[in-house]
Amino acid sequence: MSTVLRSLCGYFILLCLGLLLLLSPGQAYEELSDETLKLLPRPSHDFDIHDGAILSPLLQTRVPGTAGHDAVLEHLVSFIRTTLPKWDIELQNSTSKTPLSNGKDVPFVNVIATRDPPRASVGDVELLTLVAHYDSKLTPEGFIGAIDSAAPCAMIMHAMRSIDAALDKKWAAMEKGMGSTFDEEVGIQVLFLDGEEAFDHWTDEDSLYGARSLAETWDSQMNPAMSTFKTKLSSISLFVLLDLLGSKNPSIVSFYQTTHWAYQRLGSLERRLRSLNKFKAPSDPWFIDTSKDFRQIVPMGGIQDDHIPFLARGVEIVHVIDFAPFKGFPEVWHTMDDDGEHLDMDTVEDWSVLVTAFAAEWMELGDFLAQSESGKARRDEVFEADLDKKTEL
Ligand SMILES: *[C@@H]1O[C@H](CO)[C@@H](O)[C@H](O)[C@H]1NC(C)=O
Ligand SMILES: [Zn+2]
């Protein structure tokens, strides 16, 4: 080999290595196939606003410290225990005085549900984190908060149960050594946060009670020595917050340059689900910034929501909230009209499929979703049957 050729070869190898490094994060991310997207289940009768097993129990007033709140908390926990027994549940409790509590402490309970891959050490697992708040606003009296955020909670519940069996399949394959191509230390967690709403007027102290407590706790909770991630907080690979979803024709803005690529994944899945006729809602695109380059994403200071205490501590955020400059929030926002009857159910169901698709793609479940469809249907029936028994008591 001549020296010129050799140095050319060397050059070429360096170039390839460079390209590989540049591309590798993207290359680890494999799109779901059309076949898999077509298989993703839509919510069924369990999203009925009157007697659906998943959604209807969420559609009641659930102000922290009241009976309605405890009933919804119980609903979330029993759904996970019954339908998703392999998920770990943790309740993270805190108390706080509020401007209206007359000096008394109000309890706040965050629900944390986690599925870690087998045999990975705690502290080495990065967690895709899906988030919505389950409390409702004190005023106007009787406020239901269907888009805020009963429906987003239901969407996440649908995604959890829709990928659960595929996670089993993937991790079983991984254990048999067939999965060397997978990221072995990627898990998923769901946060149903409490106390998002202000009791009186929104201030830094009167809002985000649950999120502030959890972010602070996790920031100081150290993982075991030598872990990949120092704290529980740094184990969060991406914090995807859903809020104010369930009205027709939402528009979702991209807020953060560093996670614009993940926002674009959502936008791309939305487009593909539409083209496969998996969406029933009108065809105006929701993820309106998808074709923008990340440099075009203008930080807007952000909207006050549960992500803020996490953002402030360096967590990567995608904020999926129906909001656009000039348009603002959905019409029903913080009014008595934000109830089950005003949900656009096609849109709610489409969202549920999209959230499922995003989680499945992130967790690399493409090959395993097809195999697990029938098992899932059976488990749903069991949950509905269980619930029937309960209401009969
Ligand atoms: C947190 O609060 C819930 C509900 O009030 C309670 O059942 C649970 O035992 C508490 N957990 C801890 C760790 O204190
Ligand atoms: Zn609200």
Side-chain angles (χ1 to χ4, degrees):
M1 211 190 280
S2 81
T3 43
V4 176
L5 199 63
R6 199 179 309 159
S7 65
L8 263 179
C9 272
Y11 217 89
F12 184 69
I13 289 168
L14 270 180
L15 197 79
C16 289
L17 273 176
L19 270 178
L20 209 72
L21 280 176
L22 218 84
L23 292 178
S24 54
Q27 278 192 337
Y29 201 103
E30 200 179 316
E31 283 198 344
L32 292 182
S33 67
D34 285 357
E35 285 63 42
T36 304
L37 287 182
K38 280 188 216 155
L39 279 170
L40 295 180
R42 288 183 79 81
S44 53
H45 182 74
D46 44 32
F47 268 49
D48 188 283
I49 61 168
H50 301 293
D51 61 359
I54 287 185
L55 182 55
S56 72
L58 294 165
L59 295 171
Q60 58 179 308
T61 60
R62 47 199 185 282
V63 177
T66 67
H69 176 278
D70 293 351
V72 170
L73 174 60
E74 170 60 26
H75 169 58
L76 294 170
V77 170
S78 85
F79 171 78
I80 300 164
R81 291 230 165 96
T82 317
T83 315
L84 305 164
K86 288 181 182 156
W87 292 64
D88 289 326
I89 307 182
E90 189 195 327
L91 302 180
Q92 189 261 338
N93 299 341
S94 61
T95 59
S96 181
K97 295 175 178 41
T98 80
L100 301 184
S101 70
N102 298 318
K104 290 208 188 82
D105 276 330
V106 175
F108 298 98
V109 184
N110 294 318
V111 180
I112 302 152
T114 315
R115 265 209 90 174
D116 285 329
R119 285 198 273 128
S121 312
V122 181
D124 290 346
V125 176
E126 56 160 77
L127 293 161
L128 171 64
T129 302
L130 306 177
V131 190
H133 76 87
Y134 75 91
D135 63 303
S136 69
K137 200 170 173 299
L138 177 64
T139 54
E141 196 185 329
F143 174 76
I144 294 296
I147 63 168
D148 187 12
S149 268
C153 287
M155 293 163 195
I156 292 175
M157 292 161 86
H158 177 72
M160 292 167 90
R161 59 148 174 201
S162 302
I163 63 167
D164 192 50
L167 283 172
D168 285 337
K169 296 247 156 53
K170 173 188 154 178
W171 285 334
M174 219 164 74
E175 295 251 81
K176 284 191 207 123
M178 286 144 58
S180 54
T181 55
F182 297 123
D183 293 330
E184 302 198 356
E185 289 170 338
V186 177
I188 181 166
Q189 85 187 333
V190 165
L191 310 179
F192 294 119
L193 296 181
D194 198 4
E196 189 266 350
E197 302 285 6
F199 287 82
D200 191 7
H201 295 291
W202 190 285
T203 65
D204 287 352
E205 287 75 42
D206 186 18
S207 66
L208 312 181
Y209 292 91
R212 285 188 285 127
S213 170
L214 187 63
E216 194 184 325
T217 304
W218 277 0
D219 201 9
S220 57
Q221 225 170 57
M222 302 301 276
N223 281 326
M226 312 299 290
S227 293
T228 310
F229 303 106
K230 244 191 194 164
T231 62
K232 292 268 267 180
L233 201 77
S234 57
S235 302
I236 300 173
S237 51
L238 186 70
F239 185 105
V240 182
L241 175 60
L242 311 184
D243 201 1
L244 304 186
L245 304 179
S247 297
K248 204 182 233 175
N249 291 326
S251 49
I252 312 298
V253 167
S254 182
F255 290 98
Y256 305 106
Q257 288 196 344
T258 56
T259 56
H260 185 59
W261 67 275
Y263 170 100
Q264 286 175 311
R265 301 306 323 154
L266 280 159
S268 157
L269 284 167
E270 182 206 350
R271 183 183 48 76
R272 293 181 61 211
L273 287 165
R274 282 186 198 287
S275 70
L276 295 167
N277 292 322
K278 286 287 288 184
F279 265 28
K280 290 191 182 162
S283 60
D284 312 319
W286 298 349
F287 287 78
I288 52 181
D289 292 333
T290 303
S291 60
K292 283 188 183 162
D293 183 85
F294 79 93
R295 293 176 205 84
Q296 293 171 278
I297 302 307
V298 187
M300 296 206 309
I303 294 172
Q304 292 295 312
D305 207 343
D306 278 331
H307 62 303
I308 294 288
F310 293 84
L311 180 73
R313 291 172 171 84
V315 176
E316 296 290 346
I317 311 284
V318 175
H319 192 192
V320 183
I321 186 167
D322 185 358
F323 168 85
F326 309 112
K327 187 191 117 182
F329 295 133
E331 236 167 78
V332 297
W333 177 66
H334 285 187
T335 73
M336 288 304 281
D337 279 347
D338 185 9
D339 57 11
E341 278 73 18
H342 286 80
L343 287 172
D344 184 75
M345 287 317 295
D346 284 347
T347 303
V348 172
E349 290 178 21
D350 289 353
W351 271 118
S352 305
V353 176
L354 180 59
V355 175
T356 302
F358 182 77
E361 197 165 84
W362 187 282
M363 299 303 294
E364 302 182 289
L365 299 181
D367 295 339
F368 305 102
L369 275 161
Q371 308 169 23
S372 49
E373 265 311 281
S374 50
K376 189 201 71 61
R378 272 201 303 280
R379 278 198 319 283
D380 292 350
E381 281 162 26
V382 172
F383 180 62
E384 297 230 8
D386 258 34
L387 229 92
D388 286 347
K389 262 184 250 149
K390 239 194 228 155
T391 46
E392 276 163 22
L393 288 177

